[in-house]
């Protein structure tokens, strides 16, 4: 009986490990270039804003607290273009005094909200 219990517990623990890995992979995929750009064209939910005080340095040496990997110049342009396609999002950003040209990255959370990184 003890062997059965040990095997069952090992199976349960390993299933949690696989579930966590799958969740992490989904996060990477949904924040990848094409996927986040597609999301931004229709995005109409809550968002947060994070200001990057030293954007030039941030591109070369990201802070550990900044979970979003800096995008290439083309990546930044693509994100800004996707935002511009979404007039409602442009208006919401403007209401917070945020110019689309200052957005350098976006990262979607598991709850569907997005954090915009502003230079």
């Amino acid at each position: 009986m003890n062997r059965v219990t040990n095997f069952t517990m090992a199976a349960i623990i390993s299933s949690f490990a696989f579930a966590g890995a799958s969740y992490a992979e989904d996060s990477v995929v949904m924040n990848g270039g094409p996927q986040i750009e597609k999301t931004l064209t229709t995005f109409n939910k809550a968002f947060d804003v994070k200001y990057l005080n030293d954007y030039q340095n941030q591109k070369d040496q990201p802070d550990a607290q900044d979970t979003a990997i800096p995008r290439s110049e083309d990546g930044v342009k693509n994100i800004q273009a996707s935002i511009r396609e979404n007039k409602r999002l442009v208006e919401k950003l403007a209401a917070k005094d945020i110019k689309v040209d200052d957005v350098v990255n976006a990262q979607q959370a598991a709850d569907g909200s997005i954090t915009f990184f502003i230079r």
Side-chain angles (χ1 to χ4, degrees), residues 7-65:
F7 178 76
T8 303
M9 291 303 291
I12 291 171
I13 291 170
S14 65
S15 69
F16 286 133
F18 286 124
S22 175
Y23 179 75
E25 289 173 11
D26 289 344
S27 176
V28 170
V29 169
M30 79 178 170
N31 286 306
Q35 188 61 36
I36 192 73
E37 292 163 15
K38 181 178 178 186
T39 299
L40 290 172
T41 60
T42 60
F43 183 76
N44 191 24
K45 295 183 181 180
F47 64 86
D48 294 319
V49 176
K50 183 166 185 174
Y51 292 90
L52 302 174
N53 295 330
D54 186 359
Y55 175 64
Q56 198 59 40
N57 188 45
Q58 173 69 19
K59 290 191 322 185
D60 299 327
Q61 299 173 353
D63 292 336
Q65 64 189 8

